[in-house]
Amino acid sequence: MIEFHLDARSGVAPYLQLVQQVRHALRLGVLNEGDKLPTVKEVVAKVAINPNTVLKAYRELEYSGLVSARPGLGTFVTRTLGNDSVAHQPLRKELERWLTEARAAGLDDESIEALFLSTFRSFSEARA
């Protein structure tokens, strides 16, 4: 089951952070068709967030056709977003190696994230 987390420093609305986390989990094969998402009550208790924010995220996922709410039972994944975990493994290993090097160079989590995101944005802009 997915465990949500929020980053107040990200500048991304909390409900969108939840949506992004579910989409990432679907893309990486962490969540599969038929899996149940945590209940609103569980997310509220774990992440300290307004229940309406969780409901908004779940509604957006439902509008996207990724999940389906079943009254009294919960919210379930109805489709995934392409899982090619075999192809991901070498990339994951390379990224783990890079993260190890970044740590050895003295970078903390925030610095690693900033470096990755700025490099990713520059790469994406160059390709556009």
Side-chain angles (χ1 to χ4, degrees), residues 121-128:
R121 284 187 190 114
S122 296
F123 175 81
S124 295
E125 289 169 3
R127 297 265 188 210

Side-chain angles (χ1 to χ4, degrees), residues 4 6 12-22 49-50 52-61:
F4 293 111
L6 295 178
V12 176
Y15 87 95
L16 283 177
Q17 290 184 49
L18 299 179
V19 169
Q20 288 172 345
Q21 288 172 46
V22 170
I49 190 173
N50 186 305
N52 290 328
T53 303
V54 180
L55 288 168
K56 184 175 182 179
Y58 281 15
R59 273 194 309 273
E60 180 156 327
L61 291 164

Side-chain angles (χ1 to χ4, degrees), residues 38-51:
T39 65
V40 172
K41 187 176 182 178
E42 290 169 339
V43 178
V44 168
K46 177 80 175 166
V47 187
I49 190 173
N50 186 305

Side-chain angles (χ1 to χ4, degrees), residues 45-80:
K46 177 80 175 166
V47 187
I49 190 173
N50 186 305
N52 290 328
T53 303
V54 180
L55 288 168
K56 184 175 182 179
Y58 281 15
R59 273 194 309 273
E60 180 156 327
L61 291 164
E62 193 167 8
Y63 293 147
S64 299
L66 298 174
V67 302
S68 176
R70 297 183 197 156
L73 297 175
T75 303
F76 295 85
V77 174
T78 55
R79 71 179 180 95
T80 62

Side-chain angles (χ1 to χ4, degrees), residues 14 23-24 34-36 41 53 80 85 101 103 110 120:
R23 293 181 65 85
H24 289 163
D35 287 349
K36 183 179 177 188
K41 187 176 182 178
T53 303
T80 62
S85 59
E101 288 180 20
R103 277 272 191 259
E110 195 171 327
F120 180 73

